[in-house]
PDB file of all heavy atoms in Angstrom:
ATOM      1  N   GLN A 804     -24.411   9.953 -22.000  1.00  0.00           N
ATOM      2  CA  GLN A 804     -24.716  11.262 -21.410  1.00  0.00           C
ATOM      3  C   GLN A 804     -24.793  11.170 -19.885  1.00  0.00           C
ATOM      4  O   GLN A 804     -24.270  12.021 -19.170  1.00  0.00           O
ATOM      5  CB  GLN A 804     -26.029  11.788 -21.980  1.00  0.00           C
ATOM      6  CG  GLN A 804     -25.950  12.148 -23.462  1.00  0.00           C
ATOM      7  CD  GLN A 804     -27.316  12.476 -24.049  1.00  0.00           C
ATOM      8  OE1 GLN A 804     -28.360  12.271 -23.414  1.00  0.00           O
ATOM      9  NE2 GLN A 804     -27.323  12.990 -25.278  1.00  0.00           N
ATOM     10  N   TYR A 805     -25.483  10.117 -19.388  1.00  0.00           N
ATOM     11  CA  TYR A 805     -25.604   9.953 -17.937  1.00  0.00           C
ATOM     12  C   TYR A 805     -24.245   9.702 -17.292  1.00  0.00           C
ATOM     13  O   TYR A 805     -23.952  10.198 -16.207  1.00  0.00           O
ATOM     14  CB  TYR A 805     -26.571   8.819 -17.613  1.00  0.00           C
ATOM     15  CG  TYR A 805     -28.025   9.200 -17.782  1.00  0.00           C
ATOM     16  CD1 TYR A 805     -28.883   8.446 -18.566  1.00  0.00           C
ATOM     17  CD2 TYR A 805     -28.538  10.332 -17.158  1.00  0.00           C
ATOM     18  CE1 TYR A 805     -30.214   8.795 -18.735  1.00  0.00           C
ATOM     19  CE2 TYR A 805     -29.868  10.689 -17.314  1.00  0.00           C
ATOM     20  CZ  TYR A 805     -30.705   9.924 -18.103  1.00  0.00           C
ATOM     21  OH  TYR A 805     -32.016  10.284 -18.258  1.00  0.00           O
ATOM     22  N   GLU A 806     -23.421   8.924 -17.964  1.00  0.00           N
ATOM     23  CA  GLU A 806     -22.081   8.659 -17.422  1.00  0.00           C
ATOM     24  C   GLU A 806     -21.275   9.947 -17.321  1.00  0.00           C
ATOM     25  O   GLU A 806     -20.546  10.172 -16.352  1.00  0.00           O
ATOM     26  CB  GLU A 806     -21.345   7.647 -18.296  1.00  0.00           C
ATOM     27  CG  GLU A 806     -21.847   6.222 -18.124  1.00  0.00           C
ATOM     28  CD  GLU A 806     -21.096   5.246 -19.013  1.00  0.00           C
ATOM     29  OE1 GLU A 806     -20.396   5.705 -19.946  1.00  0.00           O
ATOM     30  OE2 GLU A 806     -21.198   4.032 -18.784  1.00  0.00           O
ATOM     31  N   GLU A 807     -21.418  10.795 -18.336  1.00  0.00           N
ATOM     32  CA  GLU A 807     -20.713  12.077 -18.313  1.00  0.00           C
ATOM     33  C   GLU A 807     -21.208  12.940 -17.156  1.00  0.00           C
ATOM     34  O   GLU A 807     -20.417  13.588 -16.461  1.00  0.00           O
ATOM     35  CB  GLU A 807     -20.909  12.794 -19.645  1.00  0.00           C
ATOM     36  CG  GLU A 807     -20.105  14.090 -19.752  1.00  0.00           C
ATOM     37  CD  GLU A 807     -20.271  14.756 -21.106  1.00  0.00           C
ATOM     38  OE1 GLU A 807     -20.910  14.146 -21.998  1.00  0.00           O
ATOM     39  OE2 GLU A 807     -19.773  15.875 -21.272  1.00  0.00           O
ATOM     40  N   LYS A 808     -22.543  12.930 -16.937  1.00  0.00           N
ATOM     41  CA  LYS A 808     -23.102  13.699 -15.822  1.00  0.00           C
ATOM     42  C   LYS A 808     -22.611  13.159 -14.488  1.00  0.00           C
ATOM     43  O   LYS A 808     -22.270  13.928 -13.574  1.00  0.00           O
ATOM     44  CB  LYS A 808     -24.632  13.661 -15.871  1.00  0.00           C
ATOM     45  CG  LYS A 808     -25.234  14.476 -17.007  1.00  0.00           C
ATOM     46  CD  LYS A 808     -26.751  14.403 -16.987  1.00  0.00           C
ATOM     47  CE  LYS A 808     -27.355  15.231 -18.116  1.00  0.00           C
ATOM     48  NZ  LYS A 808     -28.829  15.172 -18.133  1.00  0.00           N
ATOM     49  N   ILE A 809     -22.558  11.832 -14.372  1.00  0.00           N
ATOM     50  CA  ILE A 809     -22.074  11.222 -13.127  1.00  0.00           C
ATOM     51  C   ILE A 809     -20.625  11.603 -12.875  1.00  0.00           C
ATOM     52  O   ILE A 809     -20.226  11.927 -11.749  1.00  0.00           O
ATOM     53  CB  ILE A 809     -22.234   9.689 -13.190  1.00  0.00           C
ATOM     54  CG1 ILE A 809     -23.726   9.326 -13.124  1.00  0.00           C
ATOM     55  CG2 ILE A 809     -21.476   9.013 -12.047  1.00  0.00           C
ATOM     56  CD1 ILE A 809     -24.006   7.863 -13.387  1.00  0.00           C
ATOM     57  N   GLU A 810     -19.808  11.578 -13.939  1.00  0.00           N
ATOM     58  CA  GLU A 810     -18.402  11.971 -13.793  1.00  0.00           C
ATOM     59  C   GLU A 810     -18.289  13.421 -13.342  1.00  0.00           C
ATOM     60  O   GLU A 810     -17.461  13.762 -12.493  1.00  0.00           O
ATOM     61  CB  GLU A 810     -17.663  11.762 -15.112  1.00  0.00           C
ATOM     62  CG  GLU A 810     -17.412  10.301 -15.435  1.00  0.00           C
ATOM     63  CD  GLU A 810     -16.661  10.128 -16.740  1.00  0.00           C
ATOM     64  OE1 GLU A 810     -16.319  11.166 -17.364  1.00  0.00           O
ATOM     65  OE2 GLU A 810     -16.422   8.983 -17.146  1.00  0.00           O
ATOM     66  N   ASN A 811     -19.133  14.286 -13.921  1.00  0.00           N
ATOM     67  CA  ASN A 811     -19.107  15.701 -13.523  1.00  0.00           C
ATOM     68  C   ASN A 811     -19.519  15.866 -12.066  1.00  0.00           C
ATOM     69  O   ASN A 811     -18.925  16.663 -11.324  1.00  0.00           O
ATOM     70  CB  ASN A 811     -20.036  16.520 -14.422  1.00  0.00           C
ATOM     71  CG  ASN A 811     -19.502  16.659 -15.837  1.00  0.00           C
ATOM     72  OD1 ASN A 811     -18.288  16.591 -16.044  1.00  0.00           O
ATOM     73  ND2 ASN A 811     -20.371  16.852 -16.801  1.00  0.00           N
ATOM     74  N   LEU A 812     -20.556  15.111 -11.651  1.00  0.00           N
ATOM     75  CA  LEU A 812     -21.000  15.180 -10.258  1.00  0.00           C
ATOM     76  C   LEU A 812     -19.910  14.680  -9.313  1.00  0.00           C
ATOM     77  O   LEU A 812     -19.666  15.279  -8.261  1.00  0.00           O
ATOM     78  CB  LEU A 812     -22.277  14.355 -10.071  1.00  0.00           C
ATOM     79  CG  LEU A 812     -23.556  14.943 -10.674  1.00  0.00           C
ATOM     80  CD1 LEU A 812     -24.699  13.936 -10.577  1.00  0.00           C
ATOM     81  CD2 LEU A 812     -23.942  16.236  -9.963  1.00  0.00           C
ATOM     82  N   ASN A 813     -19.255  13.584  -9.700  1.00  0.00           N
ATOM     83  CA  ASN A 813     -18.164  13.062  -8.861  1.00  0.00           C
ATOM     84  C   ASN A 813     -17.030  14.057  -8.759  1.00  0.00           C
ATOM     85  O   ASN A 813     -16.439  14.252  -7.698  1.00  0.00           O
ATOM     86  CB  ASN A 813     -17.647  11.747  -9.438  1.00  0.00           C
ATOM     87  CG  ASN A 813     -18.642  10.614  -9.278  1.00  0.00           C
ATOM     88  OD1 ASN A 813     -19.495  10.663  -8.397  1.00  0.00           O
ATOM     89  ND2 ASN A 813     -18.541   9.602 -10.118  1.00  0.00           N
ATOM     90  N   ARG A 814     -16.724  14.707  -9.898  1.00  0.00           N
ATOM     91  CA  ARG A 814     -15.656  15.701  -9.906  1.00  0.00           C
ATOM     92  C   ARG A 814     -16.033  16.895  -9.038  1.00  0.00           C
ATOM     93  O   ARG A 814     -15.209  17.415  -8.275  1.00  0.00           O
ATOM     94  CB  ARG A 814     -15.376  16.151 -11.342  1.00  0.00           C
ATOM     95  CG  ARG A 814     -14.169  17.061 -11.483  1.00  0.00           C
ATOM     96  CD  ARG A 814     -13.717  17.166 -12.929  1.00  0.00           C
ATOM     97  NE  ARG A 814     -14.803  17.522 -13.830  1.00  0.00           N
ATOM     98  CZ  ARG A 814     -15.318  16.686 -14.721  1.00  0.00           C
ATOM     99  NH1 ARG A 814     -14.868  15.447 -14.804  1.00  0.00           N
ATOM    100  NH2 ARG A 814     -16.301  17.075 -15.522  1.00  0.00           N
ATOM    101  N   ARG A 815     -17.314  17.321  -9.129  1.00  0.00           N
ATOM    102  CA  ARG A 815     -17.797  18.441  -8.321  1.00  0.00           C
ATOM    103  C   ARG A 815     -17.747  18.093  -6.831  1.00  0.00           C
ATOM    104  O   ARG A 815     -17.376  18.922  -6.000  1.00  0.00           O
ATOM    105  CB  ARG A 815     -19.228  18.778  -8.744  1.00  0.00           C
ATOM    106  CG  ARG A 815     -19.875  19.899  -7.941  1.00  0.00           C
ATOM    107  CD  ARG A 815     -19.113  21.196  -8.065  1.00  0.00           C
ATOM    108  NE  ARG A 815     -19.769  22.276  -7.343  1.00  0.00           N
ATOM    109  CZ  ARG A 815     -19.183  23.414  -7.014  1.00  0.00           C
ATOM    110  NH1 ARG A 815     -17.909  23.613  -7.330  1.00  0.00           N
ATOM    111  NH2 ARG A 815     -19.851  24.351  -6.375  1.00  0.00           N
ATOM    112  N   GLU A 816     -18.121  16.825  -6.517  1.00  0.00           N
ATOM    113  CA  GLU A 816     -18.099  16.382  -5.121  1.00  0.00           C
ATOM    114  C   GLU A 816     -16.678  16.443  -4.553  1.00  0.00           C
ATOM    115  O   GLU A 816     -16.467  16.883  -3.421  1.00  0.00           O
ATOM    116  CB  GLU A 816     -18.643  14.959  -5.024  1.00  0.00           C
ATOM    117  CG  GLU A 816     -18.743  14.443  -3.598  1.00  0.00           C
ATOM    118  CD  GLU A 816     -19.306  13.038  -3.537  1.00  0.00           C
ATOM    119  OE1 GLU A 816     -19.518  12.444  -4.618  1.00  0.00           O
ATOM    120  OE2 GLU A 816     -19.521  12.536  -2.427  1.00  0.00           O
ATOM    121  N   LYS A 817     -15.714  16.007  -5.361  1.00  0.00           N
ATOM    122  CA  LYS A 817     -14.320  16.058  -4.910  1.00  0.00           C
ATOM    123  C   LYS A 817     -13.860  17.493  -4.701  1.00  0.00           C
ATOM    124  O   LYS A 817     -13.134  17.800  -3.754  1.00  0.00           O
ATOM    125  CB  LYS A 817     -13.423  15.356  -5.929  1.00  0.00           C
ATOM    126  CG  LYS A 817     -13.614  13.848  -5.964  1.00  0.00           C
ATOM    127  CD  LYS A 817     -12.704  13.199  -6.992  1.00  0.00           C
ATOM    128  CE  LYS A 817     -12.912  11.686  -7.021  1.00  0.00           C
ATOM    129  NZ  LYS A 817     -12.052  11.038  -8.054  1.00  0.00           N
ATOM    130  N   GLU A 818     -14.298  18.395  -5.611  1.00  0.00           N
ATOM    131  CA  GLU A 818     -13.929  19.805  -5.465  1.00  0.00           C
ATOM    132  C   GLU A 818     -14.518  20.392  -4.188  1.00  0.00           C
ATOM    133  O   GLU A 818     -13.854  21.151  -3.474  1.00  0.00           O
ATOM    134  CB  GLU A 818     -14.413  20.596  -6.681  1.00  0.00           C
ATOM    135  CG  GLU A 818     -13.646  20.284  -7.959  1.00  0.00           C
ATOM    136  CD  GLU A 818     -14.234  21.000  -9.157  1.00  0.00           C
ATOM    137  OE1 GLU A 818     -15.266  21.708  -8.992  1.00  0.00           O
ATOM    138  OE2 GLU A 818     -13.673  20.872 -10.257  1.00  0.00           O
ATOM    139  N   LEU A 819     -15.787  20.029  -3.897  1.00  0.00           N
ATOM    140  CA  LEU A 819     -16.429  20.527  -2.676  1.00  0.00           C
ATOM    141  C   LEU A 819     -15.716  20.009  -1.434  1.00  0.00           C
ATOM    142  O   LEU A 819     -15.517  20.746  -0.460  1.00  0.00           O
ATOM    143  CB  LEU A 819     -17.900  20.112  -2.657  1.00  0.00           C
ATOM    144  CG  LEU A 819     -18.816  20.813  -3.674  1.00  0.00           C
ATOM    145  CD1 LEU A 819     -20.201  20.184  -3.670  1.00  0.00           C
ATOM    146  CD2 LEU A 819     -18.912  22.308  -3.370  1.00  0.00           C
ATOM    147  N   GLU A 820     -15.336  18.733  -1.470  1.00  0.00           N
ATOM    148  CA  GLU A 820     -14.604  18.170  -0.329  1.00  0.00           C
ATOM    149  C   GLU A 820     -13.271  18.880  -0.141  1.00  0.00           C
ATOM    150  O   GLU A 820     -12.853  19.159   0.991  1.00  0.00           O
ATOM    151  CB  GLU A 820     -14.377  16.674  -0.562  1.00  0.00           C
ATOM    152  CG  GLU A 820     -15.650  15.847  -0.451  1.00  0.00           C
ATOM    153  CD  GLU A 820     -15.404  14.388  -0.792  1.00  0.00           C
ATOM    154  OE1 GLU A 820     -14.260  14.057  -1.197  1.00  0.00           O
ATOM    155  OE2 GLU A 820     -16.338  13.574  -0.654  1.00  0.00           O
ATOM    156  N   LYS A 821     -12.626  19.195  -1.268  1.00  0.00           N
ATOM    157  CA  LYS A 821     -11.345  19.897  -1.205  1.00  0.00           C
ATOM    158  C   LYS A 821     -11.528  21.302  -0.636  1.00  0.00           C
ATOM    159  O   LYS A 821     -10.746  21.760   0.204  1.00  0.00           O
ATOM    160  CB  LYS A 821     -10.721  19.961  -2.598  1.00  0.00           C
ATOM    161  CG  LYS A 821      -9.333  20.546  -2.639  1.00  0.00           C
ATOM    162  CD  LYS A 821      -8.774  20.518  -4.049  1.00  0.00           C
ATOM    163  CE  LYS A 821      -7.377  21.114  -4.087  1.00  0.00           C
ATOM    164  NZ  LYS A 821      -6.830  21.101  -5.483  1.00  0.00           N
ATOM    165  N   ASN A 822     -12.594  22.001  -1.086  1.00  0.00           N
ATOM    166  CA  ASN A 822     -12.867  23.353  -0.582  1.00  0.00           C
ATOM    167  C   ASN A 822     -13.207  23.324   0.904  1.00  0.00           C
ATOM    168  O   ASN A 822     -12.806  24.211   1.661  1.00  0.00           O
ATOM    169  CB  ASN A 822     -14.030  23.978  -1.361  1.00  0.00           C
ATOM    170  CG  ASN A 822     -13.642  24.351  -2.774  1.00  0.00           C
ATOM    171  OD1 ASN A 822     -12.458  24.540  -3.061  1.00  0.00           O
ATOM    172  ND2 ASN A 822     -14.600  24.441  -3.667  1.00  0.00           N
ATOM    173  N   GLU A 823     -13.957  22.285   1.307  1.00  0.00           N
ATOM    174  CA  GLU A 823     -14.321  22.158   2.721  1.00  0.00           C
ATOM    175  C   GLU A 823     -13.068  22.027   3.583  1.00  0.00           C
ATOM    176  O   GLU A 823     -12.953  22.668   4.634  1.00  0.00           O
ATOM    177  CB  GLU A 823     -15.222  20.941   2.917  1.00  0.00           C
ATOM    178  CG  GLU A 823     -15.709  20.777   4.356  1.00  0.00           C
ATOM    179  CD  GLU A 823     -16.611  19.571   4.525  1.00  0.00           C
ATOM    180  OE1 GLU A 823     -16.789  18.834   3.542  1.00  0.00           O
ATOM    181  OE2 GLU A 823     -17.131  19.372   5.633  1.00  0.00           O
TER     182      GLU A 823
END
Side-chain angles (χ1 to χ4, degrees):
Q804 292 172 350
Y805 283 127
E806 285 180 345
E807 185 178 354
K808 289 180 179 179
I809 290 171
E810 287 181 2
N811 290 334
L812 288 172
N813 290 336
R814 187 165 52 250
R815 178 61 177 163
E816 184 179 5
K817 290 180 180 178
E818 290 175 358
L819 290 173
E820 289 176 355
K821 186 178 180 181
N822 288 338
E823 183 179 4

